[in-house]
Amino acid sequence: MTKALITGITGQDGAYLSQLLLEHGYEVFGVIRRSASSDIIGERLRWLGVLDHINLVDGNLTDLSSLIRILQDVNPDEIYNLGAQSFVKSSWNQPLLTGVVTGLGVSNMLEAMRFCCPHARFYQASSSEMFGLIQEPMQTERTPFYPRSPYAVAKLYAHWMTVNYRESFGMHCSNGILFNHESPLRGIEFVTRRVTDGAARIKLGLATKLQLGNLDAKRDWGHARDYVRAMWLMLQQEKPSDYVVATGRTVSVRDMCRIAFAHVGLDMNDFVTVDASLMRPAEVDVLLGDSSKAKEKLGWEPTISLEEMIAEMVEADLARHRSRLK
Ligand code: NDP
Ligand code: GDP
């Protein structure tokens, strides 16, 4: 049985990736950090019905000794490093923690891997946020980076460390430069979930308005289920490399919001207001990815449209709120 270790298994991508790897017959191990909320920490894994089929191990990306112990115990064939302080807005409030977890945490994992299991294959969750103030209208693996937040700076460090371990030690290390991807399991603080949850609440009479920040920002949004498939494909290649994973379509927050409200028969203009406190100190105005390399080398293409994804998310939020009303 192939063994995979996932950090960030309790997050959105960790849940979908666990499901995919189990379908492929893997033995799945996931790193969880100790929490006072341990009863709800596996909520996403439970939602997908995979919690009882994976092995959870106790550790933290900031604790090198815990990573060494885990790698010695598990001896994985593949490592997916998805753990991070992943919310851009929080990274201005907690820049040092973001650097320690999202940046240095990757060095901890790479070092642990170099000592314990140098032949394992490694996936690093790089981010389109590294393009920041975009230097080309469509971003590829060759587009220069210009990070615009402590989160993006930390991800850039992690990205280059991953490249350096590949080139210095011949390790099988790949970066997936993933553009925004969402699902019903997306964290509630991200804009798509705020919008689908807000539209669901308003539809059910639980709220009367939704406050958002910059409605003009544009993102290339895909579905997490499609994107975890790209992660897995990267580690099935004979040679490690870096890949952009994106849909090739960019849509404004305003238009994404319009789609969500229209799904429940409402006009967003009647409910959405702008709250200046939700604006960011520096904004990434637009992202648009060119995933030609992933298509050519991995045979990867997105299969779920933005409209289908938003509809699925609104329906899931309606169902969550209806079950609480019962
Ligand atoms: P989430 O925020 O949903 O999940 C983050 C995960 O990291 C959680 O499991 C969290 O655990 C874990 N984590 C946080 N701090 C630590 C730590 N110190 N040690 C170990 N684990 C930790 O993120 P997503 O699933 O959306 O994203 C997965 C990865 O992909 C992240 O690295 C993210 O930055 C990156 N990415 C995501 C994109 C997206 O659009 N979703 C786009 C590009 C990159 P806990 O549950 O305990 O908080
Ligand atoms: P990000 O691309 O990783 O920062 O993902 P987010 O979903 O957090 O934000 C995407 C874009 O939506 C950014 O340009 C935000 O400024 C914008 N945005 C507008 N209103 C909101 C809001 O209420 N919450 C969040 N999270 N983002 C918002």
Side-chain angles (χ1 to χ4, degrees):
M1 235 179 177
T2 311
K3 285 193 272 187
L5 179 78
I6 303 174
T7 69
I9 195 159
T10 54
Q12 167 187 262
D13 292 5
Y16 282 106
L17 180 64
S18 300
Q19 188 181 48
L20 178 85
L21 296 179
L22 288 169
E23 284 164 9
H24 283 282
Y26 281 61
E27 192 175 0
V28 177
F29 296 81
V31 178
I32 54 162
R33 48 181 182 155
R34 195 269 149 184
S35 161
S37 315
S38 53
D39 52 337
I40 53 168
I41 197 124
E43 212 38 62
R44 293 187 172 98
L45 296 159
R46 202 172 286 122
W47 201 80
L48 286 179
V50 296
L51 184 59
D52 295 338
H53 306 285
I54 57 185
N55 308 286
L56 296 175
V57 288
D58 185 24
N60 197 302
L61 281 169
T62 61
D63 185 335
L64 176 62
S65 65
S66 73
L67 301 179
I68 290 174
R69 179 178 45 74
I70 289 168
L71 294 189
Q72 280 175 340
D73 288 352
V74 174
N75 191 22
D77 302 291
E78 298 176 6
I79 299 171
Y80 296 87
N81 188 49
L82 312 183
Q85 191 304 95
S86 67
F87 187 39
V88 171
K89 186 140 196 300
S90 290
S91 76
W92 279 285
N93 301 331
Q94 301 182 47
L96 304 181
L97 175 120
T98 303
V100 167
V101 177
T102 308
L104 276 180
V106 181
S107 293
N108 283 334
M109 181 55 94
L110 287 165
E111 274 296 272
M113 186 179 155
R114 187 157 74 96
F115 292 123
C116 302
C117 50
H119 301 298
R121 296 182 173 194
F122 179 80
Y123 172 86
Q124 166 57 18
S126 275
S127 167
S128 57
E129 288 292 319
M130 300 185 309
F131 294 121
L133 187 63
I134 55 167
Q135 304 292 298
E136 287 178 326
M138 265 196 117
Q139 298 88 57
T140 71
E141 297 79 7
R142 292 172 307 285
T143 302
F145 299 116
Y146 196 131
R148 293 267 281 174
S149 63
Y151 167 81
V153 172
K155 280 287 181 190
L156 191 54
Y157 167 82
H159 179 92
W160 282 114
M161 286 305 275
T162 302
V163 172
N164 272 266
Y165 272 62
R166 178 168 78 219
E167 295 178 353
S168 305
F169 305 120
M171 287 161 60
H172 195 294
C173 300
S174 297
N175 284 296
I177 309 172
L178 270 52
F179 283 59
N180 296 52
H181 46 281
E182 322 290 313
S183 74
L185 298 182
R186 183 62 144 149
I188 195 78
E189 65 275 34
F190 293 91
V191 73
T192 51
R193 253 321 281 299
R194 267 180 75 82
V195 166
T196 61
D197 181 72
R201 280 172 190 271
I202 291 169
K203 180 68 183 173
L204 296 175
L206 299 171
T208 53
K209 63 175 182 171
L210 172 64
Q211 292 187 316
L212 294 174
N214 179 9
L215 299 179
D216 297 319
K218 296 174 91 177
R219 289 291 182 276
D220 178 332
W221 279 294
H223 197 299
R225 197 184 292 281
D226 275 335
Y227 284 38
V228 299
R229 199 174 67 254
M231 297 176 187
W232 174 72
L233 284 167
M234 283 175 220
L235 295 205
Q236 308 320 303
Q237 304 309 302
E238 193 188 329
K239 289 200 176 132
S241 192
D242 305 324
Y243 298 89
V244 160
V245 176
T247 69
R249 173 187 176 199
T250 192
V251 172
S252 67
V253 170
R254 189 187 311 280
D255 286 340
M256 178 271 294
C257 205
R258 196 170 283 131
I259 294 167
F261 276 78
H263 183 76
V264 288
L266 300 175
D267 181 347
M268 67 166 273
N269 295 314
D270 297 334
F271 304 101
V272 173
T273 57
V274 171
D275 175 353
S277 73
L278 294 169
M279 300 288 184
R280 297 173 175 191
E283 182 59 286
V284 172
D285 295 321
V286 56
L287 291 171
L288 176 61
D290 175 351
S291 52
S292 304
K293 178 177 171 186
K295 184 176 180 186
E296 187 196 328
K297 306 269 185 206
L298 307 178
W300 179 87
E301 276 187 285
T303 65
I304 305 167
S305 72
L306 178 66
E307 286 75 8
E308 289 167 335
M309 179 178 79
I310 294 294
E312 182 191 350
M313 292 173 69
V314 174
E315 288 299 326
D317 281 319
L318 283 169
R320 282 187 184 107
H321 290 300
R322 283 194 184 114
S323 74
R324 281 176 206 145
L325 285 173
K326 275 182 192 158

